[in-house]
Amino acid sequence: MEWLFKFPQLNSDLLLTFKRAIDGSLRSLTRVYGQSIEDVFYPLQRVLIFFENAISNAPWPLVVLALSAIAWLAARRWTIVGAVVGTLIAIGLLGLWQDAMKTISLVFVATIFSISIGIPFGILMNRFKQVGGVLQTILDIMQTMPPFVYLIPVVMLLGIGRVPGFIAVVIYAIPPIIRLTDLGIRLVDKEVLEAADAYGCSPWQKLLKVQMPLAMPTIMAGINQTIMMALGMVVIASMIGVQGLGLNVLQAIANQYFTQGIFNGFAIVGIAIIFDRISQAYGHRLQKHRGRAHE
């Protein structure tokens, strides 16, 4: 009766041989093609360094002014602009300005990449049902996979540094924008689509001029979630060399620096609030505009 209480396992020697074969193949791949793989991602590294230097080396009043202008254009509310300015000044007074700018630059570039990749995949997911089914399964796996697992393949292929951390952030943050792009397109009223067909719109005209504009509030919600997930992953990606506030939190944990961890945690929360309020406010404005258009 012992078999009822102890689950049968595969032959341990066979399983060990299988694991070693896979791990050995990956190590051989990185030894032989490691430099070629790094060369492929070298332009991406230059892009990351460019944005990091541009934001980190910019005069702080210019950065505050730029983010305040973005907040005003997105929300048209002085309360949100004041919150952005107050949060940035508080981060600077805590001595975390440079690290915060590195974090913001990484999240900004990761969000741009996630949007440029996620929206086309969301359209494919909506347009082709078989592709949508496969993508749905992949996204389910991606969103239930522990974040630390994303670090393993990128570190094996690219080592430690900006690029592997950036790739892990993008992979972790991209599912919401894909899902909500698909959802936004599916939520467009059928009557509107029938009217577009009646006017003789081609499928691409209907997508670009009818469905995408009407789906934009939902897509903005996906962008908001992508930004939040990217910020959350930045802290974990600090384990493989991503600089910024996440690295400070990791050092605080390793050395038991309570105040350093708390201050950097509050700075990350402040940046999250800035991005969240700006993207949400812009999404609400689009929603109101959509409501007036229906009226």
Side-chain angles (χ1 to χ4, degrees):
M1 296 295 291
E2 183 181 352
W3 64 274
L4 287 174
F5 300 95
K6 187 177 181 181
F7 200 91
Q9 297 181 2
L10 293 174
N11 183 282
S12 58
D13 293 335
L14 179 63
L15 185 60
L16 182 60
T17 302
F18 178 71
K19 290 179 179 179
R20 286 177 175 174
I22 294 178
D23 293 340
S25 299
L26 287 174
R27 292 192 188 97
S28 299
L29 177 67
T30 54
R31 280 196 297 267
V32 176
Y33 299 104
Q35 187 60 48
S36 300
I37 295 172
E38 290 182 8
D39 292 341
V40 170
F41 288 98
Y42 180 74
L44 176 59
Q45 183 178 2
R46 299 307 306 170
V47 169
L48 294 174
I49 292 174
F50 170 79
F51 277 99
E52 182 179 308
N53 291 337
I55 297 176
S56 300
N57 297 331
W60 69 266
L62 181 62
V63 175
V64 173
L65 182 62
L67 289 176
S68 301
I70 293 172
W72 169 253
L73 292 173
R76 303 295 171 88
R77 290 170 56 187
W78 288 111
T79 53
I80 292 181
V81 174
V84 170
V85 173
T87 301
L88 291 173
I89 290 176
I91 290 173
L93 291 175
L94 290 173
L96 301 174
W97 183 262
Q98 289 296 322
D99 292 323
M101 293 305 103
K102 291 178 181 179
T103 299
I104 287 175
S105 68
L106 179 64
V107 172
F108 173 75
V109 180
T111 302
I112 296 299
F113 270 74
S114 298
I115 292 171
S116 60
I117 297 171
I119 290 180
F121 270 100
I123 294 171
L124 283 174
M125 190 173 176
N126 179 267
R127 277 285 184 267
F128 305 100
K129 299 305 178 184
Q130 291 182 341
V131 175
V134 174
L135 281 176
Q136 187 75 29
T137 303
I138 294 173
L139 292 174
D140 290 340
I141 295 171
M142 291 173 66
Q143 291 192 290
T144 53
M145 187 78 71
F148 290 96
V149 177
Y150 291 113
L151 305 181
I152 299 172
V154 293
V155 169
M156 291 193 69
L157 291 175
L158 296 168
I160 292 175
R162 287 185 184 88
V163 173
F166 170 81
I167 293 173
V169 170
V170 170
I171 293 173
Y172 183 72
I174 203 171
I177 185 64
I178 298 177
R179 287 188 186 277
L180 288 173
T181 298
D182 171 49
L183 178 64
I185 295 173
R186 283 193 284 110
L187 289 178
V188 175
D189 292 339
K190 292 183 179 180
E191 291 81 1
V192 177
L193 298 179
E194 290 173 358
D197 291 332
Y199 278 102
C201 290
S202 67
W204 278 108
Q205 288 176 326
K206 187 165 61 174
L207 173 67
L208 297 177
K209 296 183 178 181
V210 179
Q211 291 175 300
M212 290 301 292
L214 293 177
M216 194 54 65
T218 307
I219 294 174
M220 282 303 304
I223 294 173
N224 175 274
Q225 292 301 307
T226 292
I227 294 171
M228 295 301 104
M229 294 184 73
L231 269 170
M233 190 62 180
V234 161
V235 179
I236 298 173
S238 64
M239 298 177 65
I240 58 173
V242 173
Q243 297 182 351
L245 296 172
L247 182 60
N248 292 347
V249 173
L250 185 65
Q251 291 173 346
I253 294 172
N255 298 291
Q256 298 182 0
Y257 294 152
F258 176 76
T259 53
Q260 177 181 332
I262 291 297
F263 286 165
N264 282 272
F266 278 133
I268 292 172
V269 170
I271 294 172
I273 291 173
I274 289 174
F275 283 120
D276 178 69
R277 294 296 181 268
I278 291 175
S279 57
Q280 276 198 12
Y282 186 63
H284 290 158
R285 284 187 60 216
L286 288 175
Q287 191 71 45
K288 290 180 181 178
H289 179 73
R290 177 181 176 180
R292 294 195 195 101
H294 277 298
E295 292 174 1

